[in-house]
Amino acid sequence: MVDLSSQYEKVKPSIDRAILDVIDKAQFINGQEVSSFQKDLEDYLNVKHVIPCANGTDALQIAMMALGLKPDDEVITPSFTYIATTEVIALLGLKPVFVEVDKDTFCIDVNEIEKAITSKTKAIVPVHLYGQAANMNAIMEIASKHNLFVIEDNAQAIGSDYHLTNGSVQKTGTIGHIGCTSFFPSKNLGCYGDGGAIFTNDSDLAQKIKMIANHGQSKKYYHDVVGCNSRLDSIQAAVLRIKLRQLDNYIDARRKVASIYDAAFAPISGVQIPFRSDDSKHVFHQYTLILDNHDRDGLCNFLAERDIPSMIYYPIPAHRQKMFSDFGSADTHLPVTDWLTKRVISLPIHTEMQDEQLDYITNSVKEFLNN
Ligand SMILES: *Cc1c(COP(=O)(O)O)cnc(C)c1O
């Protein structure tokens, strides 16, 4: 699905030098590279505070801990997402309330959010799935009307621009009260191990987030709140500083692949190519088709026989996971989510795709779907 080796080859000298430099200095934890990357990312995102942490799941957990929610408080989130988004809600003793997604954007359906709001609702966690931003204009309006926090799960959309109704353009992840991302190697901005970050323009929240990520420590050996230990290590920060300079090029390369796929698949009946909202720049973490009246799993097998990887993101939605059976969430009526889990298929997309690979993939997909 990705080709991280070819991508590395292109930046190998600078990456190798940066990694060796960290080893030479022996500043493995909280080194200079971490604070430099933090500043670089603040500049790139145009956000006041970036707090690096150990992974994207921690980022979501720490963000939620910083809101000071109480047990049984409710958090609204889509069911059609990676498990991490919803898992941390339950881990913190909060109640995930699953809301339907929009069939076009794959993101939370803003028309369904208000129906799910109760007196216990405290936050909304939209997910910018596959690199397409959720409808943040509507979400921020609903949140402000009902006095709710918004935590953006930006793990799949880092670098995406979003057009706000007030005319300004902001990066996804910096629009809600807190944004979270992952630097898992296959993400659009990936490191060479685990990594994550939390963003906010709210200085009080930033202070709390920093404390929570560092054992609740306010000053050395003074621990004011229960926190955790979640750090980005210096080697990962050094890798990320170099790759951040390439992020816009990486996004362009992904968008180019998506356009080629679009042109190849749009004419096939029963195939829905990814929707591109006018409000945001799709950064194509995944290229995902909806196949209606086609044998989706047959296509997966057909492609596998030709050594073409494909993936189903995600085959089982959160509300149908055993993990949440105590919440009775399997009874939640989410027909679009269920419909999508049976029809989506994601094709290989990355920054180093060759024309011959694209020809081979598009011809193979067309051969199966046109028969
Ligand atoms: C990858 C991902 C995460 C979790 O990130 P990790 O770094 O793997 O913990 C959370 N949410 C979404 C939508 C993701 O894609």
Side-chain angles (χ1 to χ4, degrees):
M1 296 295 284
V2 294
D3 181 356
L4 298 172
S5 305
S6 306
Q7 192 192 57
Y8 164 60
E9 281 307 316
K10 292 194 177 154
V11 284
K12 184 172 163 38
S14 41
I15 295 254
D16 291 1
R17 210 178 315 119
I19 291 176
L20 287 173
D21 198 43
V22 172
I23 300 172
D24 274 340
K25 288 188 187 138
Q27 286 190 343
F28 299 108
I29 301 291
N30 293 336
Q32 179 62 44
E33 290 298 318
V34 178
S35 44
S36 299
F37 170 63
Q38 175 201 326
K39 294 212 171 58
D40 291 351
L41 191 57
E42 284 168 355
D43 289 344
Y44 176 83
L45 295 170
N46 193 20
V47 70
K48 278 202 194 117
H49 307 278
V50 164
I51 301 99
C53 66
N55 57 67
T57 309
D58 275 10
L60 288 160
Q61 181 187 325
I62 294 163
M64 253 169 258
M65 287 169 80
L67 301 181
L69 309 186
K70 287 185 259 343
D72 296 329
D73 279 350
E74 295 176 2
V75 177
I76 289 174
T77 186
S79 170
F80 192 65
T81 178
Y82 182 56
I83 196 67
T85 321
T86 55
E87 181 186 32
V88 299
I89 298 170
L91 180 71
L92 294 174
L94 310 168
K95 184 182 174 198
V97 174
F98 299 111
V99 164
E100 191 61 287
V101 287
D102 179 275
K103 185 176 157 298
D104 289 325
T105 64
F106 301 109
C107 295
I108 194 163
D109 184 343
V110 295
N111 298 312
E112 298 293 321
I113 293 176
E114 284 197 294
K115 293 175 204 162
I117 294 175
T118 72
S119 57
K120 288 187 171 176
T121 308
K122 294 289 155 52
I124 307 172
V125 184
V127 182
H128 305 313
L129 204 70
Y130 307 149
Q132 165 89 61
N135 184 345
M136 289 304 294
N137 283 317
I139 291 166
M140 294 313 291
E141 205 176 301
I142 294 167
S144 117
K145 183 171 152 199
H146 297 272
N147 204 18
L148 306 175
F149 288 108
V150 175
I151 298 176
E152 293 172 73
D153 184 341
N154 198 39
Q156 301 191 1
I158 193 159
S160 175
D161 291 313
Y162 190 83
H163 295 257
L164 293 163
T165 31
N166 69 13
S168 69
V169 177
Q170 259 173 262
K171 292 284 184 198
T172 53
T174 70
I175 302 160
H177 301 89
I178 307 178
C180 298
T181 205
S182 162
F183 304 123
F184 187 82
S186 61
K187 299 284 156 93
N188 285 20
L189 178 61
C191 58
Y192 292 172
D194 271 312
I198 305 159
F199 337 128
T200 184
N201 281 307
D202 181 320
S203 299
D204 291 337
L205 278 176
Q207 192 61 32
K208 277 186 199 147
I209 290 165
K210 252 178 251 172
M211 260 169 63
I212 291 167
N214 184 26
H215 299 294
Q217 179 170 281
S218 54
K219 58 180 184 182
K220 196 141 182 82
Y221 298 126
Y222 287 79
H223 305 274
D224 299 1
V225 294
V226 173
C228 58
N229 171 24
S230 190
R231 298 184 284 237
L232 181 71
D233 74 64
S234 307
I235 287 180
Q236 301 309 335
V239 169
L240 287 165
R241 279 191 79 195
I242 289 158
K243 290 187 67 177
L244 178 60
R245 291 175 212 142
Q246 299 297 327
L247 180 56
D248 287 340
N249 295 333
Y250 290 161
I251 291 171
D252 287 346
R254 287 174 175 276
R255 286 169 57 86
K256 231 164 104 184
V257 172
S259 302
I260 292 167
Y261 278 155
D262 278 356
F265 306 137
I268 308 173
S269 78
V271 174
Q272 185 180 314
I273 60 169
F275 175 78
R276 299 182 189 214
S277 159
D278 290 338
D279 288 340
S280 65
K281 179 174 179 178
H282 200 319
V283 295
F284 285 101
H285 175 59
Q286 301 296 345
Y287 183 90
T288 305
L289 296 171
I290 304 175
L291 305 184
D292 210 7
N293 298 318
H294 286 287
D295 176 9
R296 193 254 325 247
D297 297 339
L299 174 60
C300 287
N301 294 334
F302 179 80
L303 294 176
E305 277 163 24
R306 296 181 166 207
D307 290 322
I308 299 170
S310 63
M311 291 291 286
I312 309 306
Y313 301 116
Y314 295 92
I316 305 165
H319 75 288
R320 299 207 174 277
Q321 297 289 350
K322 239 191 216 165
M323 179 193 275
F324 297 119
S325 51
D326 288 351
F327 296 97
S329 50
D331 302 331
T332 318
H333 187 58
L334 301 175
V336 177
T337 295
D338 286 332
W339 188 87
L340 284 173
T341 55
K342 294 185 179 68
R343 286 169 181 78
V344 288
I345 179 169
S346 300
L347 297 175
I349 190 164
H350 56 80
T351 59
E352 313 301 322
M353 287 186 86
Q354 307 296 316
D355 290 344
E356 315 86 78
Q357 293 175 321
L358 283 165
D359 283 345
Y360 183 58
I361 296 168
T362 50
N363 287 333
S364 302
V365 171
K366 282 193 282 189
E367 185 183 326
F368 184 86
L369 294 179
N370 284 326
N371 275 322

